[in-house]
Amino acid sequence: MSQKTETAKKPVSRKDMTKWQWTLKEMSNNKTGYFLLAPFYIIFFVFTILPVILSIFFSFTDFNLLETPNFIWFDNYIRLFLEDDIFMLAIKNTLVFAAVTGPGSYLISLLMAWFINELPPKIRAVMTLIFYAPSISGNVYMVWTYIFAADSHGFLNGTLMDLGVISTPIAWLKNASYIMPIVIIVALWTSLGTSFLTFIAGFQIVDRSLYEAAAVDGVKNRWQELWFITLPYMRPQMLFGAVMAITGAFGFGGVITNLVGFPSPDYCAHTIMHHLDDYGSSRFEMGYASTIAVVLFFMMIGSNMLVRKMLGKVGK
Amino acid sequence: MAKLRIRKSNHAMNRSLGGDIGINLVLLVMGAFMFLPMLYTVMQSLKPLDELWQYPPRFFVRNPTLGNFSTLLNLMGSSWVPFSRYIFNTAFVSIIGTVGNVFLSSMAAYSISKMKFPGKKMLFKFVVWSLMFHTTVTAITNFWTMSKIGFVDTYLARIVPACATSMGLYLMKQFMDSSVPNSVLESARLDGASEIRVFWQIAMPMVKPAWLTLVVFCFKDLWNAGSSIYIYSEQYKSFNYAIQQIVTGGISRQGAGAASTVIMMLVPILVFVITQSNIIETMSTSGMKD
């Protein structure tokens, strides 16, 4: 990589030094640059890049934090995919959950940001706050446990019973057939975060004169305007928003645990995140947990790649 | 330079009346879905005990009381470690972590955005790439790393990783790219200012929206942090963790639980309200190139 930047910047090919010497010289001329980024990158490598490399390494061992690890090669992967029934359930749940909350939160963020952008500035600021607040307010999502409480004092049960829709209270958060839809609703409720703000900002920087030009060119309604002008213009924001939405969709484990407990009834809301936590911090099977982490890691990177491809088609 | 456009009139071309009504209707419904649970939390925190256990349940409070908040205070008084310790822990970690992240991220962002040296593109690619995976993937392995370097069960376990977030560097770098003109830096360099001085006295004041944004993002994460797998000792645990523990102690504590949620959510919301316009300005530069 350094060679690539070097050739790009090198004005003429030089005879008096090799590429490598040139690179070294450039490096020593720019000590301040390295000095400024060193503190950040040292921490970043130790706590963000190193764990990925270590996980891949540990996933081929039977490491348990106490004994010296032995190489067992693909045994962890075989056990994970062929013998661990709960993991298969976790994969299914994670895919269902992420496939709904990821695109769901993305589309809601985009649509709401678009609609909010049509409002006058003062109201826009208030609406932005209303939509963004649930995602920054810590564990405010616990309010859903009051709403879905299992007895007649729970808001939903009480109201439904009062209206005569049901006669006995439903244990919403204990019943496997209700849990998944409920955690998805709650996850969506808390998910209008960074990507939502990015879209709010993105809509505001679109060059207004483009709309006038488009109107002359025959763009007839706001949907065409959105598809042919706004979205292509804010493609960088859309890509960033997508990355945030995907990363978020895989990170809701804590919300699920706080709502329905761990393990969830019949493992119906058991995701890969829970499986990872279970083996990593309760059973201390580092090797096996690392294998789960590696699988999760490639799922995240894979879905990001897929979405990048899809976003390339916007406005065409 | 990223400047926000304030629309002069609300009436624009290509807007049908039906569309306007539809949009406002959707906003109203979705807004209610977002806002009502927040309001319900506040209502619950103000309800006296008999209203909390009323059948059928009411959404609005009739006789608002601060009783739940005083119950919460009493419960705090009976905790293992003096409660002020938990508050101190969260405040300490949030402030040091936030300040650290703003400093380290902007230093590195300045270096990558405004200086030329081999390897910087690759270093930035690492950061963009790491935005794509959630920290759950790294948490377990980091436990091993932290136990090796003696961070487990200390403040360092929470503060140090928070000081170098990929989000922090990414936002700062993107904002510097678009908002700090190279010509200004160049003329300062020609006047003989050292690179550190150019960074601190010229670039940093120009990226105020970006570091305010980073303050909000970082602070809300650290403030909301609950239990951590790296912390065992009671005296290092966070406010959020402690408050969760005492309010889940019994069903009679539902009101106190709502009161604690209200306290927890007030701080990030307040910080966001104050800094909103700066944050929107920063996010407008956050786009990612294919």
Side-chain angles (χ1 to χ4, degrees):
Chain A
M1 184 60 219
S2 60
Q3 285 176 346
K4 212 163 138 199
T5 37
E6 172 215 51
T7 37
K9 263 183 273 142
K10 208 168 169 183
V12 281
S13 64
R14 298 180 59 160
K15 300 261 161 61
D16 56 331
M17 55 172 82
T18 61
K19 275 184 182 177
W20 181 238
Q21 283 173 319
W22 190 85
T23 308
L24 279 183
K25 188 161 165 284
E26 277 293 293
M27 284 175 86
S28 65
N29 283 347
N30 288 289
K31 285 198 192 85
T32 329
Y34 293 106
F35 170 76
L36 282 174
L37 61 73
F40 179 93
Y41 271 94
I42 291 171
I43 300 175
F44 175 74
F45 272 109
V46 170
F47 293 109
T48 307
I49 301 297
L50 183 70
V52 174
I53 300 167
L54 278 177
S55 291
I56 295 175
F57 176 74
F58 286 149
S59 73
F60 295 112
T61 70
D62 61 355
F63 192 33
N64 60 6
L65 283 179
L66 300 172
E67 299 158 52
T68 8
N70 299 308
F71 268 102
I72 53 168
W73 299 109
F74 288 96
D75 284 8
N76 281 329
Y77 289 92
I78 293 168
R79 178 178 157 204
L80 192 61
F81 282 104
L82 298 181
E83 290 159 29
D84 195 338
D85 293 338
I86 296 172
F87 180 70
M88 282 299 133
L89 206 60
I91 284 211
K92 195 199 101 206
N93 285 336
T94 310
L95 286 179
V96 169
F97 188 78
V100 179
T101 55
S105 118
Y106 187 74
L107 287 178
I108 296 175
S109 298
L110 189 65
L111 269 182
M112 292 305 124
W114 183 38
F115 291 172
I116 287 173
N117 192 50
E118 306 270 300
L119 301 170
K122 284 235 171 72
I123 305 178
R124 196 192 299 162
V126 175
M127 288 305 275
T128 307
L129 175 66
I130 287 178
F131 279 85
Y132 184 57
S135 73
I136 50 169
S137 305
N139 51 11
V140 72
Y141 57 81
M142 293 305 282
V143 68
W144 293 93
T145 60
Y146 309 150
I147 296 173
F148 288 112
D151 54 20
S152 59
H153 302 289
F155 188 73
L156 190 63
N157 274 330
T159 312
L160 287 178
M161 284 166 73
D162 193 38
L163 295 172
V165 180
I166 52 174
S167 52
T168 46
I170 298 175
W172 301 101
L173 294 169
K174 300 271 185 293
N175 186 328
S177 50
Y178 294 121
I179 285 180
M180 204 56 169
I182 290 176
V183 291
I184 285 175
I185 289 173
V186 177
L188 284 175
W189 186 69
T190 60
S191 73
L192 269 67
T194 314
S195 45
F196 172 68
L197 282 189
T198 309
F199 296 147
I200 288 274
F203 278 112
Q204 292 188 27
I205 55 163
V206 177
D207 192 346
R208 308 301 304 177
S209 62
L210 284 179
Y211 293 133
E212 286 153 33
V216 175
D217 285 347
V219 164
K220 283 193 193 62
N221 55 44
R222 66 181 100 209
W223 293 97
Q224 289 185 346
E225 204 177 273
L226 178 76
W227 184 254
F228 290 112
I229 301 151
T230 316
L231 293 188
Y233 194 88
M234 52 184 274
R235 185 175 296 145
Q237 275 82 13
M238 290 182 65
L239 186 58
F240 179 68
V243 171
M244 291 294 109
I246 296 167
T247 314
F250 284 105
F252 281 119
V255 177
I256 299 177
T257 306
N258 283 336
L259 284 177
V260 298
F262 177 83
S264 44
D266 296 338
Y267 288 99
C268 67
H270 191 75
T271 63
I272 306 184
M273 292 76 89
H274 295 109
H275 213 55
L276 174 61
D277 242 19
D278 188 16
Y279 280 94
S281 46
S282 320
R283 307 188 198 196
F284 294 109
E285 289 190 40
M286 279 293 276
Y288 197 59
S290 297
T291 317
I292 302 170
V294 170
V295 172
L296 185 57
F297 172 77
F298 281 109
M299 278 174 76
M300 289 176 183
I301 299 284
S303 31
N304 268 292
M305 298 294 168
L306 194 75
V307 166
R308 270 166 183 252
K309 280 242 166 71
M310 282 161 62
L311 282 180
K313 295 198 167 65
V314 167
K316 284 180 186 147
Chain B
M1 192 148 182
K3 269 268 178 277
L4 290 188
R5 272 155 221 282
I6 306 297
R7 195 133 26 89
K8 282 175 211 98
S9 104
N10 192 34
H11 194 79
M13 286 166 292
N14 286 328
R15 295 290 179 269
S16 65
L17 181 67
D20 278 339
I21 294 172
I23 279 178
N24 285 319
L25 211 65
V26 173
L27 270 181
L28 205 68
V29 172
M30 283 304 289
F33 169 68
M34 299 305 285
F35 181 63
L36 289 180
M38 300 291 278
L39 186 63
Y40 191 57
T41 314
V42 178
M43 289 295 157
Q44 290 290 84
S45 76
L46 295 175
K47 280 178 186 170
L49 206 59
D50 58 321
E51 282 190 48
L52 283 171
W53 298 106
Q54 195 179 33
Y55 176 82
R58 287 178 177 281
F59 187 88
F60 291 102
V61 55
R62 284 205 152 165
N63 305 304
T65 160
L66 290 176
N68 291 320
F69 290 88
S70 55
T71 312
L72 185 66
L73 273 179
N74 287 335
L75 286 170
M76 285 178 183
S78 60
S79 67
W80 265 16
V81 179
F83 211 81
S84 53
R85 180 65 191 251
Y86 296 117
I87 298 175
F88 169 80
N89 288 345
T90 288
F92 179 72
V93 169
S94 304
I95 291 170
I96 304 284
T98 304
V99 171
N101 194 12
V102 171
F103 268 89
L104 298 195
S105 300
S106 33
M107 273 160 64
Y110 174 80
S111 169
I112 287 182
S113 172
K114 297 298 167 193
M115 296 175 75
K116 286 180 181 140
F117 51 84
K120 68 168 200 167
K121 278 190 183 154
M122 187 186 64
L123 287 172
F124 186 60
K125 274 215 175 111
F126 270 119
V127 168
V128 174
W129 186 71
S130 74
L131 284 173
M132 292 183 198
F133 54 86
H134 195 262
T135 43
T136 39
V137 177
T138 54
I140 306 290
T141 326
N142 274 342
F143 179 81
W144 181 80
T145 315
M146 288 197 188
S147 68
K148 286 286 159 200
I149 52 181
F151 277 17
V152 171
D153 219 15
T154 65
Y155 286 121
L156 292 175
R158 309 192 89 129
I159 294 174
V160 175
C163 280
T165 59
S166 29
M167 185 68 145
L169 181 113
Y170 180 79
L171 289 181
M172 288 303 278
K173 192 256 178 196
Q174 297 298 80
F175 196 76
M176 281 191 187
D177 278 356
S178 69
S179 309
V180 181
N182 288 323
S183 54
V184 177
L185 304 181
E186 210 46 61
S187 60
R189 284 181 195 133
L190 285 176
D191 288 345
S194 70
E195 203 62 56
I196 308 259
R197 247 185 94 152
V198 176
F199 159 68
W200 187 244
Q201 294 190 332
I202 297 169
M204 275 308 265
M206 292 171 99
V207 295
K208 188 175 149 228
W211 52 259
L212 276 176
T213 306
L214 203 48
V215 166
V216 176
F217 282 12
C218 195
F219 182 81
K220 72 143 213 267
D221 280 347
L222 291 168
W223 174 263
N224 291 332
S227 63
S228 159
I229 57 168
Y230 313 126
I231 308 284
Y232 304 133
S233 308
E234 208 56 32
Q235 69 261 32
Y236 294 117
K237 289 193 167 160
S238 71
F239 179 56
N240 194 2
Y241 161 83
I243 225 162
Q244 286 275 22
Q245 291 303 306
I246 56 171
V247 298
T248 49
I251 34 169
S252 60
R253 292 180 182 174
Q254 209 201 72
S260 76
T261 310
V262 170
I263 293 173
M264 286 302 292
M265 76 189 200
L266 271 181
V267 178
I269 288 182
L270 212 66
V271 175
F272 176 71
V273 169
I274 298 168
T275 52
Q276 187 177 1
S277 63
N278 286 292
I279 295 180
I280 303 288
E281 192 177 342
T282 307
M283 296 318 284
S284 70
T285 67
S286 70
M288 204 177 252
K289 299 211 178 68
D290 308 86

